[in-house]
Amino acid sequence: MDWSDLPFFLEVARSQQIGRASVILGVDATTVGRRLRRLEQAVGQRLFEQSPTGQILTVAGLDLLERATAMEEIAAATRITSDRKPEIAGTVRVSVAEGFGTWFVSRHLGRLADTYPKLNLDLVASSGFLNPTRRETDVAVLLARPRRGPLRTRKLTDYVLRLYASADYLKAEGAVPTLNDLRTRRMIGYVPDIIYAPELRYLDEIPGARQPSLRSSSINAQARMIASGAGIGILPCFIGDADPMLVAILPAIRIIRSFWLVTHQDTSLFPAIRAFSDWLTALVATERQVLMPPGTSRS
């Protein structure tokens, strides 16, 4: 028996309708039905009868309900400490974009560790993402909403990107008051043929901008090149505004992207995974001005 099927059984038993249970569980009705069939095959008996109003427990279903409810209560009790707060422990692996992990998430992880001292966190911040569908990661913060897979997905936040240059560069090469002036400047950006997400093709959205001649798959490397005076590039404001060596230019140019919080539907409610997901959601709400500077909104 796959114990992860029991929550599906319990919700159908309580709501007496697969459709209603699917809404509560946040998955489609087909998934709920498939989980119930797999559970019936494992126990070797029918657990529900179909009635005009929904699903009715069989004798075998009633027996399983009694045992599963007892197991649920025991499991809940083991997660409750003496002060009645959930005991958050274990390891959570989180896959995020390199820049978001380096310049935003990592700066606040000390607070997470103080809140949950028994929680271990593996922050995988790289150019590319681990796949929650294949259980490569517990939590992924993606640039686009996944279109398929047994996943729970919600929008985490929008964020803004702008053009940046170093103060030394602008002093040496001159200001960039208009888009026309951008046409002759050296640009810094991603390596076109190894961009791992189409959402990173920022320069395509700036009329007349030259293709980058200094390129890297790393947003951190791009930020260092821009700060060193090598040229002009596009950075998320949570990177560009945090670096005192960088100056935002052409204020009318603002590109908006989104981060999506993704977990596997079978593990998303595990206490440690849910605790981290809730913590990150609260963090981006608190730090909204860092991600979406004042005066910026999605049209």
Side-chain angles (χ1 to χ4, degrees):
M1 177 187 297
D2 188 335
W3 299 107
S4 68
D5 292 335
L6 286 178
F8 294 83
F9 166 77
L10 286 168
E11 201 57 61
V12 174
R14 289 163 180 163
S15 64
Q16 297 184 348
Q17 286 187 354
I18 287 179
R20 190 181 302 163
S22 69
V23 173
I24 295 171
L25 291 165
V27 299
D28 57 69
T30 302
T31 298
V32 178
R34 175 172 53 82
R35 291 303 197 97
L36 292 181
R37 289 192 296 273
R38 186 167 72 177
L39 187 59
E40 288 179 332
Q41 290 173 356
V43 300
Q45 297 184 73
R46 290 181 60 82
L47 300 173
F48 293 95
E49 295 288 351
Q50 181 68 44
S51 77
T53 58
Q55 280 64 45
I56 304 298
L57 286 164
T58 63
V59 173
L62 289 168
D63 180 61
L64 181 59
L65 176 63
E66 182 178 353
R67 288 182 289 155
T69 301
M71 291 170 59
E72 183 182 47
E73 291 172 353
I74 293 171
T78 63
R79 294 195 299 264
I80 304 301
T81 60
S82 58
D83 61 358
R84 308 304 294 172
K85 293 182 179 179
E87 179 73 12
I88 304 301
T91 299
V92 176
R93 175 167 292 181
V94 181
S95 175
V96 298
E98 179 193 23
F100 187 60
T102 302
W103 291 85
F104 186 82
V105 178
S106 63
R107 300 171 69 175
H108 302 279
L109 288 181
R111 289 157 53 187
L112 176 71
D114 290 340
T115 303
Y116 302 116
K118 294 185 178 181
L119 178 67
N120 300 318
L121 185 85
D122 294 340
L123 182 67
V124 184
S126 59
S127 298
F129 299 98
L130 300 181
N131 191 325
T133 300
R134 296 197 295 264
R135 305 287 186 90
E136 294 173 346
T137 185
D138 299 308
V139 180
V141 179
L142 304 180
L143 298 174
R145 183 172 192 163
R147 296 181 179 180
R148 61 180 64 86
L151 303 171
R152 288 179 182 264
T153 302
R154 68 174 184 262
K155 189 175 183 179
L156 182 61
T157 182
D158 290 329
Y159 66 100
V160 178
L161 304 101
R162 294 188 61 187
L163 284 159
Y164 288 87
S166 73
D168 288 343
Y169 173 87
L170 294 173
K171 183 177 180 180
E173 301 294 331
V176 187
T178 68
L179 267 176
N180 227 15
D181 298 291
L182 197 63
R183 298 174 187 272
T184 60
R185 301 303 178 96
R186 181 190 298 133
M187 301 301 295
I188 294 167
Y190 283 99
V191 182
D193 59 340
I194 57 173
I195 289 179
Y196 63 89
E199 291 77 16
L200 300 178
R201 298 187 183 278
Y202 311 127
L203 288 174
D204 294 348
E205 299 182 24
I206 301 180
R210 299 173 67 186
Q211 288 303 304
S213 57
L214 293 178
R215 309 181 296 196
S216 175
S217 61
S218 165
I219 191 67
N220 289 333
Q222 292 176 43
R224 291 299 88 212
M225 285 190 276
I226 298 168
S228 74
I232 297 171
I234 297 176
L235 297 171
C237 291
F238 60 78
I239 296 179
D241 292 348
D243 190 332
M245 299 178 68
L246 295 175
V247 177
I249 62 173
L250 294 173
I253 302 298
R254 291 175 177 246
I255 297 171
I256 298 179
R257 293 289 189 266
S258 302
F259 286 128
W260 295 85
L261 184 67
V262 182
T263 55
H264 196 284
Q265 68 181 19
D266 288 348
T267 60
S268 61
L269 297 182
F270 286 6
I273 295 173
R274 184 169 186 175
F276 175 81
S277 300
D278 290 346
W279 173 83
L280 184 59
T281 300
L283 175 64
V284 299
T286 301
E287 300 290 324
R288 179 172 173 79
Q289 288 194 339
V290 175
L291 299 158
M292 295 283 290
T296 304
S297 62
R298 180 178 283 279
S299 59

